[in-house]
Amino acid sequence: MRPIRIIPAISLILAFFAALIAFKATHWFWEDTAMPSTSLNTMAYRYHFVMIAHNTEETYWKQVHTGALSVARNADSALEYFSSRFLNLKELERYLEMAILSSVDGILISIPNQPELTALITEAFTKEIPIVSLSNSLETHPRLSYVGISAQNLGYQSGMALKKAAVRKIRAAVLINSNFSTESYQNYLHGFHRAIGSDSNIRLEMVVNSKGESISAEEQTQQILKHHPHIQAIICTDPNDTLGVAKVVVDQNRVSQTLIIGCGLTEEIANYIKREVIWGVLAEDPNELGAQGINTLIRLKTKNAEQEIYNLPLFWVDKSNVNQIYSKFSYTARRKNP
Amino acid sequence: MKQIGHRVPVTIRSKLLYSFLIMIGIFTLVSLFSYYSEQHMLNRFNVLLSNNLKLKEFRTNIDNVVTSLEQYLISRNFNMLRQYYQYSQEVDADYPNLKTIEPSLDNYLLLENIRNMTRSFLKQTEIAVQAKRARDSSGYHKAFLEVVRYGTNINWAIDRLITQQLEESSRQYLYISKRLATIQRLGLLLIIGALIFSVITTLWVSFRLTTPLQRLAKAAQIISKGNFSTEPLQVTTEDEIGVVTRAFNEMTQNISKLFAEIKLQSDLAQRLQEQELQNLSMKNVLREAELQALQSQINPHFLFNMLNAGVQLAIIECADQTAEYIDKVSNLLRYNLRQLDKPVSLAEEFNHLQTYFFILKSRYGEERFTFETELDPNIASFQIPLLTLQPIVENALIHGIENLESGGKIQVQAFLEAGQVIIRVHDNGRGIPPDTLQQIKEGQSKTGHTTGLGLQNVKERLRIFFGESDLMWIDSKPNDGTTIELRLPTYGRYEREIDDACTGCR
């Protein structure tokens, strides 16, 4: 190449690379990165659903939301998610009221059984807004659909697990979440008693209403173990209760003396199971809970059904399968939210 | 190598133009880049703030609708009703155009909630007004409670949206600040790069311009001192300097060529002058020879007539030997009187030598001398000046064998050797005394005996005839005879004859 050609050639190359660097370095600047890539698609939605949850456990509800969002996307539906970390009734009421006043297409709820909230649910039904409960805490309503675990099944499975563990005489205490509706409470105990039957090795010493909070459960467990040191098994109906009981048992160095049968699977609970602090838990797939919630709402909208009840399968998780089940739940979450 | 295609020459002006334009272009790009970066960021902030302000205004209008409606329901004041309509119309006009600058899914759905609630809110307000007009107190009370409920929820939703957007704006502010810092660093890098490029380009261009000029100036200095043997300058550019360099090279070559031609012409002129001088010299020699010949001629025809009469008389008297002798003498004289400037063949010269030897034998007797001639027939026609050999033989006789009582011998040989005709005259006489030999070699022996032509004369005529000197070689040793050798070239005007004659010799 002639020398004179070198100057324009080098200049062009430099200009090209400068432009390339400038573009590479600033392309994020010129485009609106605040806009999620999926937002435009979701704006053209068929249904607008709202999910309102009392967020008792961060990871668990994140997975529930992931499952629900995945199905909603596939059904060209938008899902709005409101959650309250602590039990703030006013906040939950605000979310529910706004959803009803906005005339959304459907609402997924996991809220405590409080009169203010149930009144709003009734208002929603008057406005033909379908509501699906994701927990067993609400009183039965002729039009309230339900997706979740059956309280009776939970009680029965818990009793069967205790029966299996009780090779000798054992005295047990049950912590039932106070958010359970009266019907769910009774169903749970009915199932439990049906499982243990007339097994003379098992004696249900006490039934305690818990608040579904870890700190509260710790306090209650301390009281139980202090005043009833002969209690050798504690059965829980809530993941926070399970964690609270496990912490106290570890703190009081009673791991080998106290059998814990929990409910729900989180990373922390999985670790306790691996360390044999918790003997085992009964858990449903949180992704499946969210997914079936949305599916139920869509069915209610499309088939004009009044009510649907969908009981999720319960998985028994102990040291032998904790990794497998936990990976399965986590994998499902990843797959649905790539 | 010949270049294929036409190359558009890039002039110095183009080079400078390109360089400056590129530099200006780069700086302009950097400036524009910085300008648009800042402008974009400012616009973004403006949109953020103005959108939040609009939402706030909308919220205020919702409150105003509720307030004016309440006032109207309480007082049934027409002004309040007018205010209510004014605000409700504003709300009605505004709510479809509400926007979120961060259209994330959550924000967008929240905005949809606000729109839906506003729609229901306006319906409820209208129901309340209608109930008031119908004096349905329970109806407008109930409707107003719904209006308040909707208003509260709309305000809450707007507050939540503004908060979310502010949170997002704050997050983006930090994000954009970082981006801006990055862009500023990038701009700085670009400026530094552009500066470096400018400096390099300037140096490069000046170097490219001045180096060929310096080489040209140096070459011009060398040539101005008369040295045209310098190597042609290398043409590295296609600009004006390249053109000048190429022209300079051609000029140098042309001057050098002209000098060579002038020198050649000068040499030719010198050779011509020498040739003229040689011709003049030859004419002088010829004139001298002719003069001498005239002096020795009394009346050749009379002499030859007398000698012929002598021959006839001898024949009548039956004196055959005398007749032959007189005939030979007559032939000798006739040969001697031929024109000196006309060349003869070697055969003629050798015949003449035979005649001469006959006369000498007649004079000195058969026993005293022997003569031998040997001529290569291939060179018999070789042309040499008249009377070349006789003076040499005469010299051999006088200085060599004349004083010998017997056994004198003269050998004359002519043959071809290495492209030259060699004529060798050898005698076995006493040899030429060194002083005499020296005189002969120095050209001081000028006169002959019979012909009046000395060796020097022969030597000179040979030089003129063949155009070369040193054609005669003399080798003589006391009491060991003398050898005179002529080495005559065969090129020039006699070459073809020699070639023809010597076919098969080479």
Side-chain angles (χ1 to χ4, degrees):
Chain A
M1 184 182 283
R2 304 286 297 180
I4 187 58
R5 307 285 185 209
I6 291 171
I7 295 171
I10 291 174
S11 310
L12 281 173
I13 292 165
L14 280 176
F16 173 74
F17 278 109
L20 195 70
I21 291 166
F23 177 75
K24 281 281 181 191
T26 61
H27 75 282
W28 38 259
F29 185 78
W30 307 107
E31 68 181 20
D32 200 346
T33 53
M35 182 184 284
S37 59
T38 55
S39 62
L40 285 175
N41 296 332
T42 50
M43 283 173 196
Y45 50 81
R46 188 159 58 120
Y47 297 121
H48 175 185
F49 297 132
V50 176
M51 180 173 158
I52 300 162
H54 172 212
N55 188 357
T56 50
E57 212 282 322
E58 191 76 29
T59 314
Y60 178 83
W61 282 103
K62 196 178 279 183
Q63 286 183 331
V64 174
H65 179 233
T66 302
L69 197 61
S70 172
V71 175
R73 277 178 185 163
N74 290 336
D76 295 328
S77 300
L79 179 67
E80 207 174 358
Y81 178 49
F82 296 102
S83 66
S84 172
R85 176 67 184 87
F86 300 100
L87 188 58
N88 186 339
L89 289 177
K90 287 285 180 191
E91 196 177 2
L92 291 171
E93 188 183 344
R94 172 70 63 208
Y95 295 145
L96 189 57
E97 188 177 32
M98 190 192 67
I100 294 163
L101 294 180
S102 301
S103 304
V104 296
D105 296 309
I107 305 171
L108 286 178
I109 51 171
S110 175
I111 51 177
N113 187 25
Q114 296 294 327
E116 302 91 333
L117 298 173
T118 50
L120 284 172
I121 290 168
T122 308
E123 184 186 347
F125 288 135
T126 59
K127 290 189 173 182
E128 301 297 328
I129 299 171
I131 295 183
V132 174
S133 172
L134 294 180
S135 68
N136 49 17
S137 56
L138 290 173
E139 294 296 342
T140 304
H141 188 282
R143 292 184 62 185
L144 182 64
S145 299
Y146 171 73
V147 173
I149 53 176
S150 157
Q152 192 173 34
N153 188 31
L154 179 63
Y156 181 77
Q157 297 283 353
S158 300
M160 290 302 288
L162 182 64
K163 194 174 175 182
K164 190 179 175 185
V167 291
R168 52 184 170 79
K169 283 189 182 296
I170 192 166
R171 293 182 179 183
V174 176
L175 265 71
I176 299 179
N177 194 327
S178 57
N179 286 331
F180 270 33
S181 64
T182 312
E183 189 183 354
S184 298
Y185 183 90
Q186 288 168 353
N187 285 341
Y188 178 84
L189 284 178
H190 180 258
F192 188 82
H193 285 296
R194 189 161 60 88
I196 59 176
S198 57
D199 193 335
S200 58
N201 279 342
I202 300 170
R203 183 175 168 187
L204 183 58
E205 194 79 11
M206 62 177 69
V207 177
V208 180
N209 288 333
S210 76
K211 292 181 180 175
E213 290 175 358
S214 181
I215 297 169
S216 170
E218 284 181 38
E219 185 193 351
Q220 288 176 318
T221 310
Q222 275 184 344
Q223 294 297 324
I224 291 167
L225 296 178
K226 184 179 176 183
H227 299 294
H228 307 276
H230 52 277
I231 294 291
Q232 292 159 304
I234 301 175
I235 297 101
C236 306
T237 60
D238 184 86
N240 288 332
D241 290 346
T242 309
L243 278 174
V245 171
K247 283 174 190 170
V248 173
V249 167
V250 171
D251 286 347
Q252 295 193 3
N253 200 20
R254 295 189 57 157
V255 174
S256 59
Q257 301 158 29
T258 309
L259 181 80
I260 301 172
I261 295 172
C263 182
L265 182 63
T266 64
E267 187 179 1
E268 214 172 346
I269 290 173
N271 287 334
Y272 277 121
I273 292 171
K274 287 177 200 169
R275 287 161 54 193
E276 297 184 354
V277 175
I278 297 172
W279 188 59
V281 295
L282 287 158
E284 80 279 17
D285 184 350
N287 299 286
E288 193 65 14
L289 179 65
Q292 290 305 328
I294 294 294
N295 280 333
T296 306
L297 277 178
I298 291 169
R299 280 198 297 273
L300 289 170
K301 289 294 287 183
T302 53
K303 295 178 181 175
N304 295 319
E306 285 284 313
Q307 187 185 32
E308 283 211 12
I309 305 294
Y310 188 95
N311 288 320
L312 289 171
L314 270 175
F315 296 91
W316 171 250
V317 186
D318 57 17
K319 194 184 175 186
S320 65
N321 65 351
V322 63
N323 285 331
Q324 183 192 349
I325 297 286
Y326 188 76
S327 300
K328 184 188 170 190
F329 290 174
S330 301
Y331 169 74
T332 312
R334 280 200 302 274
R335 187 175 51 130
K336 287 180 179 173
N337 188 18
Chain B
M1 187 181 286
K2 193 176 178 180
Q3 269 190 319
I4 298 169
H6 178 67
R7 170 172 283 173
V8 179
V10 181
T11 60
I12 294 171
R13 193 175 64 177
S14 308
K15 284 182 195 176
L16 294 173
L17 204 63
Y18 285 152
S19 307
F20 287 126
L21 280 177
I22 288 164
M23 280 188 272
I24 290 167
I26 290 172
F27 279 113
T28 309
L29 274 176
V30 171
S31 306
L32 284 175
F33 178 70
S34 302
Y35 172 75
Y36 279 111
S37 302
E38 289 172 8
Q39 197 66 32
H40 182 79
M41 197 182 77
L42 277 175
N43 288 341
R44 203 174 172 84
F45 277 122
N46 285 340
V47 171
L48 276 170
L49 295 174
S50 61
N51 195 66
N52 278 356
L53 277 175
K54 275 185 183 174
L55 284 171
K56 205 73 183 170
E57 282 172 13
F58 183 77
R59 187 189 190 284
T60 308
N61 281 339
I62 292 282
D63 286 343
N64 288 337
V65 169
V66 175
T67 310
S68 57
L69 179 66
E70 186 187 25
Q71 293 293 325
Y72 169 70
L73 293 177
I74 293 169
S75 63
R76 210 178 177 182
N77 188 324
F78 182 72
N79 287 336
M80 289 299 114
L81 183 64
R82 198 170 55 190
Q83 273 188 9
Y84 156 73
Y85 278 125
Q86 182 191 336
Y87 289 127
S88 65
Q89 279 170 3
E90 283 182 21
V91 169
D92 194 34
D94 286 346
Y95 87 88
N97 300 320
L98 289 176
K99 286 176 185 171
T100 170
I101 51 142
E102 305 299 338
S104 66
L105 180 65
D106 288 342
N107 285 352
Y108 183 78
L109 292 176
L110 196 57
L111 191 65
E112 278 298 292
N113 291 339
I114 292 169
R115 285 177 183 153
N116 290 337
M117 284 193 290
T118 306
R119 205 176 293 119
S120 303
F121 167 80
L122 290 174
K123 278 182 189 170
Q124 288 298 327
T125 55
E126 199 55 36
I127 289 168
V129 170
Q130 294 300 328
K132 180 67 180 175
R133 282 177 176 166
R135 299 178 187 276
D136 177 7
S137 59
S138 64
Y140 70 71
H141 180 243
K142 189 182 171 189
F144 182 71
L145 287 177
E146 280 298 297
V147 167
V148 171
R149 195 166 164 234
Y150 272 106
T152 309
N153 276 282
I154 290 168
N155 286 345
W156 179 84
I158 288 173
D159 289 344
R160 186 180 172 92
L161 185 61
I162 288 172
T163 306
Q164 284 181 186
Q165 289 196 156
L166 277 174
E167 281 174 9
E168 183 64 25
S169 302
S170 304
R171 188 183 65 79
Q172 284 214 359
Y173 173 76
L174 294 173
Y175 192 45
I176 290 171
S177 297
K178 284 179 186 173
R179 288 176 182 180
L180 199 65
T182 309
I183 287 168
Q184 283 171 344
R185 280 197 294 272
L186 187 70
L188 194 65
L189 277 176
L190 281 174
I191 289 169
I192 291 168
L195 276 172
I196 291 169
F197 173 75
S198 306
V199 170
I200 289 171
T201 307
T202 307
L203 288 173
W204 175 264
V205 168
S206 60
F207 177 76
R208 294 297 307 169
L209 286 177
T210 54
T211 305
L213 282 173
Q214 284 173 347
R215 282 207 299 263
L216 202 61
K218 196 175 175 182
Q221 278 181 343
I222 292 169
I223 287 169
S224 68
K225 288 173 184 170
N227 183 5
F228 289 92
S229 60
T230 54
E231 286 289 317
L233 292 173
Q234 194 178 359
V235 181
T236 54
T237 59
E238 291 295 328
D239 54 14
E240 290 88 341
I241 295 172
V243 173
V244 170
T245 308
R246 202 172 280 120
F248 182 83
N249 285 339
E250 286 174 9
M251 186 186 75
T252 309
Q253 282 179 356
N254 288 337
I255 290 173
S256 181
K257 206 179 287 177
L258 281 172
F259 263 96
E261 284 176 4
I262 289 168
K263 194 178 176 187
L264 188 67
Q265 285 177 354
S266 170
D267 288 346
L268 280 172
Q270 194 177 354
R271 285 183 66 184
L272 278 172
Q273 198 175 1
E274 283 176 3
Q275 192 73 38
E276 280 178 4
L277 283 171
Q278 282 178 358
N279 290 342
L280 196 62
S281 175
M282 193 170 73
K283 280 179 182 174
N284 286 336
V285 170
L286 283 170
R287 202 171 291 123
E288 185 186 345
E290 282 172 2
L291 186 61
Q292 284 180 356
L294 284 171
Q295 284 177 349
S296 65
Q297 291 176 24
I298 301 169
N299 190 340
H301 293 290
F302 175 72
L303 187 58
F304 290 138
N305 288 339
M306 281 195 305
L307 288 171
N308 284 336
V311 170
Q312 289 171 4
L313 188 60
I315 291 168
I316 292 167
E317 288 178 352
C318 297
D320 293 340
Q321 287 186 341
T322 305
E324 189 182 1
Y325 178 77
I326 294 168
D327 186 44
K328 294 288 184 187
V329 170
S330 174
N331 287 341
L332 181 75
L333 288 173
R334 190 175 291 111
Y335 191 82
N336 283 352
L337 289 175
R338 289 173 66 170
Q339 288 185 345
L340 278 174
D341 57 345
K342 290 187 176 176
V344 293
S345 66
L346 265 178
E348 287 177 300
E349 273 288 282
F350 268 72
N351 282 336
H352 177 67
L353 278 182
Q354 294 293 339
T355 306
Y356 181 64
F357 286 152
F358 180 82
I359 293 167
L360 285 179
K361 281 181 180 176
S362 302
R363 182 182 168 191
Y364 292 103
E366 290 282 342
E367 297 81 15
R368 197 170 171 188
F369 314 116
T370 56
F371 301 101
E372 291 179 5
T373 58
E374 189 181 338
L375 172 62
D376 186 345
N378 292 323
I379 55 171
S381 61
F382 185 71
Q383 299 287 302
I384 57 171
L386 183 71
L387 290 175
T388 298
L389 299 181
Q390 189 190 335
I392 298 168
V393 171
E394 198 170 38
N395 186 70
L397 182 74
I398 292 166
H399 296 292
I401 62 173
E402 190 174 29
N403 295 328
L404 293 177
E405 290 296 327
S406 62
K409 186 178 180 182
I410 294 175
Q411 284 181 308
V412 182
Q413 293 173 300
F415 54 89
L416 194 65
E417 185 181 275
Q420 288 182 319
V421 170
I422 310 296
I423 302 171
R424 187 179 292 152
V425 179
H426 175 73
D427 69 78
N428 61 347
R430 63 187 176 185
I432 302 171
D435 51 343
T436 309
L437 182 64
Q438 189 61 34
Q439 284 179 356
I440 292 168
K441 285 183 176 176
E442 290 174 358
Q444 293 176 5
S445 172
K446 290 186 177 177
T447 57
H449 296 274
T450 308
T451 61
L453 301 171
L455 286 179
Q456 190 55 40
N457 182 279
V458 172
K459 194 176 177 182
E460 189 64 19
R461 281 191 294 127
L462 286 172
R463 187 185 70 79
I464 293 167
F465 187 80
F466 287 102
E468 290 185 15
S469 55
D470 295 333
L471 297 174
M472 181 184 286
W473 304 80
I474 302 172
D475 184 23
S476 181
K477 291 175 185 171
N479 300 319
D480 199 20
T482 301
T483 301
I484 296 176
E485 197 171 272
L486 302 180
R487 294 179 181 172
L488 305 178
T490 60
Y491 59 82
R493 53 184 167 166
Y494 302 109
E495 190 173 9
R496 180 168 292 181
E497 294 174 22
I498 293 299
D499 284 343
D500 296 341
C502 295
T503 304
C505 297
R506 294 177 184 175

